[in-house]
Amino acid sequence: MASPSQRPFGFWTATALVVGGMIGSGIFVLPGQLAPYGWTSVAAWIAGIAGAMLIAWVLARLTVAFPGATGVVAICGEGLGPVCGVLVGWSYWVGIWSANAVIALTAVRYLAQFVPALAATTLSLAVSATGLIWLLTLLNLGGARLAGLFQVTTTVLKLLPLVAVLLILAGVALTAGHGAPAAARPGFAWAELTPALTLAFFAIVGFEAASVAAERVRDPARNVVRATLFGLALTGVLYIIVCSGIIFVLPTAPLAAAQAPFALFVATYWGGGAGLATAAFAAIAAIGALNGWTLVQGEVPLGMARAGLLPRWIGRTSARDVPIAMLLVSSALASLLVLSNATRSLGGLLDFMLRLTAAATIWLYVGACLTALIKRIVPAAAAAGLAFAGWALWGAGLEAVGLSLGLMVTALPLYLLRVAPD
């Protein structure tokens, strides 16, 4: 474990980790996915951010209580036993490569503004997304250094579409909405809150970034907590303004059917050229997120193998320290997930992927809250966080939750074979 003097991350760097972990591709598609929910989507954002705050508090306190742990997965293993730790970690890995499927679909939807054939049908969208997954996989096979240089380039660019939308919304607010197209806004409906919550929560996951990197943060007992809560609140407010602003300004039907909601919104106010520029930056942002998570999808099972929780062959790396086997397996599974659901409608394909990713990731939060309850660490917040996680899982639907559980238990044979000769 690094000594305090060797820990490079202060409060602002830790906050950047949280914000960077949350801002990926979800926000670029959610205005379309949440448009039919109208005012219910605002309530879903508020509930999702409040629930994430509870879970973030639990995660932060766990990292302080277990300063020697390598991450949240290891903490769950210590609190719930190694089998549960493996299941939680494996489900988190499932959430990563299923998220890559969503991110690839998002990137292609925005690239289709330039080449419409890429997403003319659900099948062409799925095939194009699969091709993009493998392009980024090839890039990551070249090693973390090459992938890291690509990541730095795309990180700054992903903020530009958000800035453009904020500027337009500010102009609309200053003119009291004059010139805005007529927009029908569905009212609040209790029955729609649960499914809307799970969709919104997809864009919120990633707030655990500072907790995962706690051993690199100076004074983690103070900075991890502050950075996690501040970064989550900051990004949450940004999401509410941007997503709800688009939903309340544009008519519901065309927004819900839009391949690229951000591009549609900007084009409505600043013209087609600005809309295409926004689509380009949003596509770059999604591709950058896909690159980063492609790297991580190999690192999660690698860390579990090195900890002795999975067979040693999973931890084998190339001369450039790339876990080639698991990187290829992860991308193959993401591709299979996309292609196997290509018969769904365009909106239905993305909706299912969003719910599966949320469900697979939420199991990590369930494990963390259960660990906190067992260890009597902020038990009230842990109980509330567990209840919220259960609510979000219910909103994902039986199909997505059932598939996430089925994929989770595939870790058990690997765990049992971990001591077998290889």
Side-chain angles (χ1 to χ4, degrees), residues 69-89:
T70 57
V72 178
V73 173
I75 293 174
C76 291
E78 186 169 341
L80 303 176
V83 174
C84 289
V86 168
L87 291 175
V88 167

Side-chain angles (χ1 to χ4, degrees), residues 106-148:
T106 302
V108 171
R109 284 163 68 108
Y110 276 92
L111 289 173
Q113 303 307 298
F114 304 92
V115 186
L118 292 175
T121 65
T122 309
L123 181 60
S124 64
L125 175 64
V127 171
S128 301
T130 300
L132 185 59
I133 287 170
W134 284 102
L135 283 176
L136 271 298
T137 301
L138 290 175
L139 176 66
N140 276 269
L141 288 174
R145 179 178 177 83
L146 180 61

